Amino acid sequence: MSAPTTPGAAVADLLGLVALGELLAFERMAGDARLAPDLRRRAALGEMAAAEIANYRRLADRITALGVAPQEAMAPYVAALQAYHDSTEPRDWAEAVTKAYVGDAITDDFIRQIAAALDEADRQLVLDVLHESRYAEFAAAEIRIAIDADPRVAHRLSMWARRLVGEALSQASRVATADRGALTTLIAQGERVNVEALFRQLTAAHTERMTAAGLNN
Amino acid sequence: MSAPTTPGAAVADLLGLVALGELLAFERMAGDARLAPDLRRRAALGEMAAAEIANYRRLADRITALGVAPQEAMAPYVAALQAYHDSTEPRDWAEAVTKAYVGDAITDDFIRQIAAALDEADRQLVLDVLHESRYAEFAAAEIRIAIDADPRVAHRLSMWARRLVGEALSQASRVATADRGALTTLIAQGERVNVEALFRQLTAAHTERMTAAGLNN
């Protein structure tokens, strides 16, 4: 298989979308840390957040190397990603860790899909920013602890997770509309990224993760 | 000079104070990033914040190695440090970077002072968590930009910086009261840490920094 030939500007836009996702996830997780029941958990969510900004820096540096200002590359996606976060403010710790768990996983699924459309160097870069599994394990463990303490929480968190996915998919269409061509370019590459298959795969992976954390899809 | 013999529990408490300072500074800076006028600056404050949580992790690991749970070591200081941040919520970007600039510098001055009372390994650890000068340079540059854009801002930010120092010193006395003996132990080491000299030195260094950023003390 020869390397895909996504144009530099389209690559910068795609990396811009991922970079902005990291930047906003960082801010929201850092803010949600206040909901933690103790300092240990508070610091743990803070560290999950900090991993996002480290990834942001790597992506921003690559965008700059492509000759594009990172904020230019990110600009088209600000409204949609901000709207996602504004419409999914966690009300307590269990909702905060569920949001981190679901949000990180959806981001990772998306990154794996777009990685296929990038050439080797950029593919490696985006695969490197995939979230470390220890963070997902921490979040899943916290969800299970919350459910063990009060089994009724499982229903509420299941509904919450469903809402998170719903809001994410709804904002994803706004991203596609706001996009300056990068996603269209990707999608046009046919067999490399199939939007329907992407959504089907995201949903299947989500169901599996919900079960792993003791939630119903 | 022989190594000071600060007891392990007192060392854990001191490191707990520094660790909590890092954890809360992380959260507040990450939250203040929203005040940034653009995404580049927003990310820059986020990265300053992330450096704090990386330091937090190193301190927490050392506290754990001393046989103390980090949250136990931090607990006595939560009320005072939280009160400092609650009473100094920045209202705009210029106030946010001024707070980062002043807060980081005072923390560093404090760390340099307590470093003298620790044995070699812990002294090196706390000196390693000193803030990188590039962050101070970024903040000072942002303050100068704000003043250049509107010279009246200099007066407002000078007053704000004075308030930050005032609140910090006021909460420092609460910290001393809440303390379980670590600071007392340090102070009792006489020539190593002199409280009056510490305050004098903090104030002199503060004046110098204010001037460097274009502010009056």
Side-chain angles (χ1 to χ4, degrees):
Chain A
M1 187 174 96
S2 66
T5 53
T6 311
V11 172
D13 272 5
L14 273 178
L15 298 182
L17 172 56
V18 179
L20 183 67
E22 302 278 349
L23 180 57
L24 297 188
F26 159 76
E27 285 181 18
R28 296 311 178 109
M29 268 188 211
D32 294 348
R34 289 199 210 194
L35 297 169
D38 58 45
L39 290 171
R40 182 184 67 78
R41 292 178 166 97
R42 188 163 168 166
L45 197 62
E47 289 182 78
M48 276 182 84
E52 314 276 348
I53 198 102
N55 288 336
Y56 164 83
R57 171 47 47 205
R58 298 187 59 180
L59 293 159
D61 287 347
R62 175 62 184 148
I63 294 167
T64 305
L66 287 166
V68 178
Q71 52 180 330
E72 284 307 309
M74 294 188 284
Y77 313 114
V78 173
L81 269 67
Q82 194 90 56
Y84 166 73
H85 285 291
D86 288 346
S87 63
T88 57
E89 289 267 10
R91 284 170 307 172
D92 60 17
W93 175 244
E95 289 190 0
V97 289
T98 303
K99 181 174 173 183
Y101 182 71
V102 170
D104 277 9
I106 292 181
T107 305
D108 284 356
D109 286 340
F110 175 75
I111 287 176
R112 280 192 204 93
Q113 290 295 325
I114 69 163
L118 299 171
D119 63 20
E120 185 51 33
D122 290 314
R123 183 186 310 138
Q124 203 45 60
L125 173 65
V126 300
L127 290 177
D128 277 356
V129 307
L130 290 174
H131 295 89
E132 289 179 45
S133 58
R134 66 190 167 103
Y135 295 129
E137 283 152 21
F138 166 76
E142 289 297 313
I143 294 169
R144 285 190 298 265
I145 289 169
I147 295 171
D148 283 349
D150 177 3
R152 287 167 307 176
V153 166
H155 178 69
R156 176 163 69 86
L157 292 183
S158 297
M159 300 299 289
W160 170 242
R162 211 175 295 172
R163 214 183 107 208
L164 291 169
V165 174
E167 291 289 346
L169 294 183
S170 143
Q171 295 306 330
S173 358
R174 273 185 77 185
V175 162
T177 314
D179 181 60
R180 286 177 295 212
L183 293 174
T184 323
T185 305
L186 259 183
I187 290 162
Q189 291 183 334
E191 81 285 356
R192 280 203 182 86
V193 179
N194 176 310
V195 180
E196 259 181 64
L198 172 59
F199 274 50
R200 218 164 37 231
Q201 203 169 326
L202 285 180
T203 311
H206 174 71
T207 305
E208 203 174 293
R209 283 188 302 263
M210 290 300 94
T211 310
L215 301 177
N216 302 314
N217 189 41
Chain B
M1 188 175 98
S2 66
T5 52
T6 312
V11 172
D13 272 5
L14 274 178
L15 298 181
L17 173 55
V18 180
L20 182 66
E22 302 278 348
L23 179 58
L24 296 188
F26 159 76
E27 284 181 19
R28 295 311 177 109
M29 270 189 209
D32 293 347
R34 289 199 211 195
L35 297 169
D38 58 45
L39 289 171
R40 183 184 66 78
R41 292 180 166 96
R42 188 163 166 165
L45 196 62
E47 289 181 78
M48 276 182 84
E52 313 277 348
I53 198 103
N55 289 336
Y56 164 82
R57 171 46 48 205
R58 299 187 58 181
L59 292 159
D61 286 348
R62 175 63 185 147
I63 294 166
T64 305
L66 287 166
V68 178
Q71 53 180 328
E72 284 307 310
M74 295 189 283
Y77 312 113
V78 173
L81 270 68
Q82 193 90 55
Y84 167 73
H85 285 291
D86 287 346
S87 63
T88 57
E89 290 267 11
R91 283 169 308 171
D92 60 19
W93 175 244
E95 289 190 1
V97 288
T98 303
K99 181 174 173 181
Y101 182 72
V102 171
D104 277 11
I106 292 181
T107 306
D108 284 357
D109 286 341
F110 175 74
I111 287 175
R112 280 192 203 92
Q113 289 295 326
I114 69 163
L118 300 171
D119 63 21
E120 186 51 32
D122 290 314
R123 182 187 310 140
Q124 202 46 58
L125 172 65
V126 300
L127 291 177
D128 278 356
V129 307
L130 290 175
H131 296 88
E132 291 179 44
S133 58
R134 65 189 168 104
Y135 294 128
E137 283 151 22
F138 166 76
E142 289 298 315
I143 294 170
R144 284 190 298 264
I145 289 168
I147 295 172
D148 283 348
D150 177 2
R152 286 169 306 177
V153 166
H155 178 69
R156 177 163 69 86
L157 292 183
S158 297
M159 299 299 290
W160 171 243
R162 210 173 297 172
R163 213 183 110 207
L164 291 169
V165 175
E167 292 288 346
L169 294 183
S170 143
Q171 296 307 331
S173 358
R174 272 184 79 185
V175 162
T177 314
D179 180 63
R180 284 177 295 211
L183 293 174
T184 323
T185 305
L186 259 183
I187 292 162
Q189 291 182 336
E191 79 287 355
R192 281 202 181 86
V193 179
N194 176 311
V195 180
E196 259 180 63
L198 171 60
F199 273 51
R200 220 164 35 233
Q201 203 169 325
L202 285 180
T203 311
H206 174 71
T207 304
E208 203 175 295
R209 284 187 300 262
M210 290 299 95
T211 310
L215 301 176
N216 303 313
N217 189 41

